[in-house]
Amino acid sequence: MKIGEVAQVIGVDAHVLRHWHDMGVVVPDRAPSGHREYTDEHIRRLRIAQACRRIGMSLAEIRGVLHRGEAGRGEVIEERLRWIRSQRAQLEDAERFLEHVRDCTHDLLTRCSDCSRYAEAGPHADRRTGVALSAVIARH
Ligand SMILES: [Zn+2]
């Protein structure tokens, strides 16, 4: 399959596929004409690469996932698993906090020890969650 068709099937721009090729993520065959030629196997790998991109992995990390021989592969995967678990823990904290805020009967959030405790609980490092929560606190 030619790069233009693959781009349509996968739903990315052709330049992205060329970049992934240059970075060694998914390296297509070359047709005698010199054009990139993608097999079904390449397309399966591209879909895996896409799934990895959706969870925020870098191209170097994705190369590690796709190529068993890649140096540091296990560490890359463990690091991403730690990140995912940390994100999940933060989201669960945020969920509990918001469920509490929704039902909290204090007129001022700062007078509620449960509300305050969440804010003091430490580095809730995810900035997006932080911004969203400060908006909630301001309105509370
Ligand atoms: Zn409260």
Side-chain angles (χ1 to χ4, degrees):
M1 210 183 271
K2 290 195 173 62
I3 191 165
E5 299 170 78
V6 176
Q8 282 212 316
V9 167
I10 298 292
V12 300
D13 285 340
H15 76 83
V16 172
L17 298 179
R18 283 192 287 273
H19 184 53
W20 289 3
H21 176 186
D22 292 341
M23 298 295 288
V25 176
V26 177
V27 178
D29 299 330
R30 286 284 186 185
S33 62
H35 289 118
R36 291 174 179 82
E37 187 65 39
Y38 290 84
T39 63
D40 288 349
E41 171 63 18
H42 290 127
I43 289 167
R44 280 192 289 272
R45 290 184 196 187
L46 288 170
R47 290 194 192 285
I48 291 172
Q50 246 185 333
C52 291
R53 286 302 271 166
R54 279 197 292 271
I55 55 168
M57 295 180 72
S58 71
L59 294 183
E61 288 174 324
I62 296 170
R63 204 165 50 219
V65 166
L66 284 171
H67 304 279
R68 290 187 176 281
E70 189 91 352
R73 179 180 194 260
E75 185 47 45
V76 161
I77 292 171
E78 286 304 323
E79 177 63 32
R80 184 52 51 175
L81 282 171
R82 277 194 292 276
W83 180 82
I84 286 169
R85 287 167 188 147
S86 142
Q87 293 292 302
R88 180 166 55 212
Q90 287 179 34
L91 287 171
E92 283 170 356
D93 280 352
E95 182 182 21
R96 276 192 295 274
F97 173 66
L98 289 177
E99 282 171 352
H100 169 81
V101 167
R102 183 189 60 201
D103 305 328
C104 182
T105 54
H106 286 82
D107 55 344
L108 274 176
L109 180 138
T110 47
R111 289 191 188 142
C112 170
S113 59
D114 288 332
C115 285
S116 300
R117 194 180 315 125
Y118 180 84
E120 289 160 10
H124 292 279
D126 186 277
R127 207 174 299 137
R128 283 162 304 176
T129 308
V131 168
L133 292 178
S134 37
V136 168
I137 290 166
R139 285 197 307 270
H140 192 63

